[in-house]
Amino acid sequence: MGLGLAGCGSGDSGSSSSETTASSQGATTSTGAGKANTVEVVAAADAFLKTLSDDEKDTALYDFDDDAKTTGWSNFPTGGVKRNGIEFAALDDDQKAAALKVMEAALSDQGYKELQDIRAADDYLAQAQASGGGRGPGGGDEYSSDKYYLAFFGEPSETEQFMVEFGGHHAAYNITYYKDDVSLSPTLTAIEPQTFELNGTSYAPLNDKRDTTMAAIASLSESELAKAEISGSFDDLLLGPGNDGPFPDPEGVVVGDLSQEQQDKVTAMIRTWVDDLDEEAAEALVAEYVSAYDETYLGWSGATDIDNEETYVRVDGPAVWIEFSNQGGIVLDGVHQHTIFRDETADYGWK
């Protein structure tokens, strides 16, 4: 599973390494910023697990150090890459509600809505294919809001590390807790199409990520934009599914060298990813990332237009890592986005 799995049928990206360098093994310390609502997440996880049979629990629970955590997530449909955990399609309504309560506890209101909107997009893609309005084979059986999975690596605990892994086609959340610390790394969010209407409701998932990313890049002067250009080209995420590192040498313009107004735009960009996490923990992490702006880089490659398939933007700090990559349409015409958030100090938890 190499870079070919980093896109919905994409080819090679700028560079690659399949070597995992940041998975957590037997952790006893962390580098988190604190403020995690671990107690609430553990309570929601325990409530969900109580709804499961013994066999279902065996499907949902993994050892914390199981390497499956690094391979069981993707932005491909679930038929192409096997996901970890128990599938929503196998749950009854009460179990589904309890599973979603886990994610509602882990995420902010903004983050939880985005997750639900991404799931709705899969129902939209299924309808498009079933009606003959999409590319590829008819029937739409590759896509569904029920083709999402929930797994736990490690027993949910207020004192030991455990990870909540939730994912399907265009979403993959790997959220690790250790006491009052939490890591959102890695988390993939993506969307096709950018906007759509389903059952009378209009959706625009990732709109905040699109707007703030383009605003950060648009704030650069001509000379700053030239300095920010990253060498190479990227047709998808560099450190996406199947590619956990190593992180490359930083490239781009140093955020700390920019004006305060420009730095604020970078902060707004970072917030649209970190603020998907529960509010207090997100605030603490943003403050940590902003404090390192003298060692944080903003870069781009290919293009800087939201409607250009080659647009690629990156933020790279001592901890924070964000990639925003435009993609051509797979099921529908037009551009769609793949994004990844990582924390280089806490990928899959802490060592």
Side-chain angles (χ1 to χ4, degrees), residues 14-15 217 224-234 238 248-253 297-304 312-316 321-324:
S15 61
I217 287 294
E224 289 165 342
L225 198 63
K227 186 182 291 187
E229 186 172 6
I230 299 170
S231 59
S233 60
F234 303 85
L238 175 63
D249 292 336
E251 293 184 76
V253 63
Y297 295 76
L298 174 66
W300 67 278
S301 177
T304 58
Y312 172 91
V313 179
R314 179 194 300 171
V315 173
D316 180 7
W321 171 276
I322 293 170
E323 294 181 76
F324 178 98

Side-chain angles (χ1 to χ4, degrees), residues 122-294:
D122 273 352
D123 288 335
Y124 181 84
L125 293 178
Q127 288 187 11
Q129 282 198 328
S131 65
R135 301 173 180 175
D141 58 354
E142 286 189 300
Y143 304 103
S144 169
S145 58
D146 269 351
K147 290 182 179 292
Y148 281 77
Y149 293 70
L150 179 61
F152 300 93
F153 286 82
E155 291 274 355
S157 168
E158 296 176 23
T159 59
E160 301 295 333
Q161 277 201 83
F162 73 96
M163 189 174 80
V164 177
E165 185 171 83
F166 179 96
H169 169 217
H170 263 165
Y173 299 84
N174 296 286
I175 310 176
T176 305
Y177 293 86
Y178 180 54
K179 298 182 180 179
D180 67 345
D181 283 333
V182 59
S183 169
L184 189 67
S185 178
T187 284
L188 176 144
T189 48
I191 195 66
E192 183 184 12
Q194 295 182 85
T195 62
F196 60 96
E197 185 171 312
L198 181 68
N199 300 327
T201 299
S202 296
Y203 295 86
L206 273 62
N207 198 45
D208 57 347
K209 293 176 171 59
R210 285 189 290 272
D211 289 349
T212 57
T213 298
M214 293 299 100
I217 287 294
S219 75
L220 301 180
S221 68
E222 187 173 337
S223 62
E224 289 165 342
L225 198 63
K227 186 182 291 187
E229 186 172 6
I230 299 170
S231 59
S233 60
F234 303 85
D235 60 8
D236 208 335
L237 304 170
L238 175 63
L239 297 184
N243 293 275
D244 290 331
F247 291 88
D249 292 336
E251 293 184 76
V253 63
V254 176
V255 177
D257 291 343
L258 302 177
S259 70
Q260 187 59 55
E261 182 178 357
Q262 291 171 310
Q263 290 184 38
D264 289 345
K265 291 185 184 299
V266 176
T267 303
M269 176 185 169
I270 291 172
R271 278 190 177 279
T272 56
W273 276 270
V274 182
D275 280 359
D276 287 347
L277 193 61
D278 180 69
E279 288 84 347
E280 285 194 42
E283 195 64 33
L285 282 170
V286 169
E288 179 181 283
Y289 300 149
V290 170
S291 72
Y293 273 176
D294 286 344

Side-chain angles (χ1 to χ4, degrees), residues 36-45 157-158 177 179:
N37 65 330
T38 309
V39 173
E40 293 176 44
V41 175
V42 170
S157 168
E158 296 176 23
Y177 293 86
K179 298 182 180 179

Side-chain angles (χ1 to χ4, degrees), residues 39-62:
V39 173
E40 293 176 44
V41 175
V42 170
D46 286 344
F48 167 66
L49 291 171
K50 286 178 181 176
T51 72
L52 304 182
S53 67
D54 288 343
D55 286 345
E56 289 171 332
K57 285 180 183 177
D58 286 342
T59 301
L61 286 169
Y62 296 72

